[in-house]
Amino acid sequence: MVTEGAYDGRRLRQWLDGEARGFSRRDLMKLTAAVGAGTALAPDAAAAAPAPGGPIVKPLPPELFRVFGANAEMRWSAMDGQGYLVPVDRFFVRNHTRTPVIDAATWRLHVTGAGLRHGPVELTYADLRRLPAHTVTTPVECAGNGRSFFTTQQGETVSGTAWQLGAIGVARWRGVRLSTVLRHAGLTRHAVDVLPVGLDDNFVTGGVDLGPVRRPLPIRKALHDVLVAYEMNGQPLPPDHGFPVRLIVPHWIGIASIKWLGSIEVADEPLFSPWNTQFYRLFGPGFPAEGQPFDRQVVKSAFELDRDAQLPAGRPVRLRGRSWSASGRIRHVDVSTDGGGRWRRARPVGGSEGAAWQRWELDWRPEPGRHELLARATDVHGNTQPDVAVHNDLGYLFDAVVRHPVVVA
Ligand code: MTE
């Protein structure tokens, strides 16, 4: 399997050597001159500007979401009593600009590029639905999920949307394997990279138009497990999640799963986009000036409770939560109800379909007062959540155990 970190690191070296196409050094200089280096380039910080007409189509009731401009995170209390999947009405939304309105009847998927054997191919929505279907259960998670805890828990400055832990959702996605679409279009053996491009508005930051949201994938990953999805949890994709068609790139950070897919370029040379050069890298002290590419998401855990939730005194409470790791299944989860003094092993609940996440629970007899809950998960590869996450300017990969205050009264 191709790891995102290895691939992105190689492309970064090729880009620095002038061997990768798509985002020139001149563009980068313009952008840096306009908005400053590193931290100012965080795309989700810039996307917080309100768009006329509302950047998100679905209702965002405050009991289900915390809203940040064009983005909305799920409240974890909204998962209490839910099954394995996150229902669409509470699935987080991450938009660089706004949800576009697309008519499936006139929509076309354009497959182009020098890596195709017989030239460009166009597919309609009906064409796609006639190809063999495939279903996968997998999370989409923003690379900055948990970012706000760099500040509130570690006292560090980061830029970008101040997500708590709700910028993740697990859904059952149905569609056509990208390999089926590419083979249907006809690949040459010189195909190197695949560039999916979204149909939402161009992303403009610091007065520089960076073009449509797009991020390349190596052909090996594209042929391995990527899905061109048209259904989410058994329904046609909702507008905010990519209608009519989006990419689902299992195990890679959320930006790889391009929504509102309009075209796919199959190139016979390495490609680059701002979404893997300037955004989604680790910047700051201790990292190289050009930023360090990062690998898949880290291990995290969340309680299905609001922060400062009120719990009843004088009777047992069943604490519930979920843990996840992009590297594989969760082996065990330890929970502390006294701020980290004593730890108990949580009971797993149900299986872990597609290894997307593991549900767990623990019974607790709390005394009245304020308490701090902690959950620490370990995956089958021995990756475990540390006490402190490694700081980086854009606040990615927050993996530390989160301290969750509750009040028992
Ligand atoms: N695709 C397009 N075209 N435009 C976007 O703004 N956001 C990306 C990705 N795909 C985005 C996109 C990011 S950063 C994430 S985390 C996921 O979509 C979020 O998917 P969701 O909104 O369905 O939860």
Side-chain angles (χ1 to χ4, degrees):
M1 220 196 338
V2 197
T3 73
E4 185 167 14
Y7 157 71
D8 207 24
R10 179 147 180 264
R11 287 289 177 273
L12 175 63
R13 287 191 296 281
Q14 289 172 319
W15 182 72
L16 291 170
D17 292 345
E19 290 167 9
R21 170 167 68 77
F23 182 61
S24 71
R25 290 214 176 210
R26 258 185 60 214
D27 292 340
L28 173 63
M29 274 156 56
K30 267 200 314 211
L31 188 59
T32 310
V35 294
T39 57
L41 297 174
D44 33 10
I56 297 177
V57 170
K58 69 183 177 186
L60 301 170
E63 65 279 13
L64 300 184
F65 289 102
R66 297 174 68 231
V67 180
F68 306 88
N71 306 312
E73 79 170 308
M74 178 191 77
R75 280 188 189 278
W76 266 94
S77 53
M79 284 312 286
D80 187 28
Q82 297 295 323
Y84 192 78
L85 305 177
V86 177
V88 168
D89 68 353
R90 59 206 67 193
F91 202 99
F92 85 105
V93 180
R94 166 75 180 97
N95 283 349
H96 280 73
T97 59
R98 53 184 301 163
T99 296
V101 180
I102 299 172
D103 178 2
T106 53
W107 172 88
R108 298 286 181 274
L109 177 61
H110 301 274
V111 188
T112 64
L116 293 181
R117 189 179 297 275
H118 311 292
V121 171
E122 236 184 57
L123 286 107
T124 64
Y125 190 62
D127 291 338
L128 262 188
R129 296 203 71 126
R130 272 194 293 269
L131 291 171
H134 180 70
T135 302
V136 348
T137 298
T138 196
V140 173
E141 182 178 18
C142 182
N145 194 21
R147 176 183 286 128
S148 68
F149 297 111
F150 277 109
T151 308
T152 58
Q153 194 162 292
Q154 301 189 179
E156 292 161 338
T157 306
V158 289
S159 67
T161 302
W163 303 117
Q164 292 182 358
L165 284 169
I168 181 169
V170 171
R172 192 171 294 141
W173 310 95
R174 182 164 183 267
V176 182
R177 290 179 194 272
L178 180 56
S179 60
T180 306
V181 172
L182 295 179
R183 291 200 171 106
H184 169 86
L187 288 179
T188 73
R189 57 191 176 81
H190 304 294
V192 173
D193 272 355
V194 166
L195 184 68
V197 181
L199 289 170
D200 39 343
D201 291 342
N202 285 4
F203 181 62
V204 179
T205 182
V208 181
D209 185 342
L210 295 176
V213 177
R214 61 202 189 282
R215 191 175 196 254
L217 299 164
I219 190 77
R220 267 174 60 206
K221 176 72 177 172
L223 295 178
H224 176 58
D225 59 358
V226 179
L227 192 71
V228 178
Y230 46 69
E231 270 182 24
M232 178 178 184
N233 295 345
Q235 300 292 323
L237 274 184
D240 297 310
H241 299 291
F243 182 84
V245 165
R246 78 178 298 168
L247 228 54
I248 288 292
V249 182
H251 313 298
W252 286 31
I253 57 172
I255 181 61
S257 293
I258 294 292
K259 303 193 277 189
W260 314 296
L261 193 60
S263 63
I264 299 177
E265 178 187 348
V266 184
D268 60 357
E269 60 186 322
L271 296 179
F272 238 47
S273 86
W275 283 268
N276 55 355
T277 52
Q278 277 307 294
F279 313 138
Y280 304 103
R281 287 210 188 292
L282 304 177
F283 291 101
F287 295 110
E290 67 277 14
Q292 181 178 303
F294 51 80
D295 216 318
R296 49 188 53 191
Q297 294 280 39
V298 284
V299 188
K300 293 195 187 76
S301 301
F303 289 91
E304 295 171 7
L305 285 172
D306 279 327
R307 295 180 70 72
D308 295 309
Q310 306 272 330
L311 302 175
R315 55 184 147 112
V317 172
R318 180 156 292 175
L319 298 172
R320 294 193 187 81
R322 302 178 190 227
S323 299
W324 60 98
S325 162
S327 302
R329 281 172 200 281
I330 295 296
R331 181 184 289 150
H332 54 73
V333 181
D334 294 314
V335 172
S336 169
T337 51
D338 63 356
R342 200 167 80 90
W343 294 83
R344 284 190 290 154
R345 185 104 342 144
R347 245 186 338 266
V349 176
S352 95
E353 191 183 327
W357 56 20
Q358 178 62 55
R359 289 186 284 163
W360 45 260
E361 61 184 27
L362 185 92
D363 294 328
W364 180 37
R365 281 185 172 274
E367 299 292 324
R370 286 188 70 80
H371 299 267
E372 218 169 36
L373 308 179
L374 287 80
R376 186 194 307 276
T378 303
D379 72 16
V380 288
H381 301 289
N383 301 308
T384 192
Q385 295 183 251
D387 291 331
V388 178
V390 176
H391 173 258
N392 61 97
D393 291 344
L394 300 187
Y396 292 131
L397 306 184
F398 188 90
D399 57 351
V401 172
V402 171
R403 309 183 84 86
H404 190 127
V406 294
V407 179
V408 177

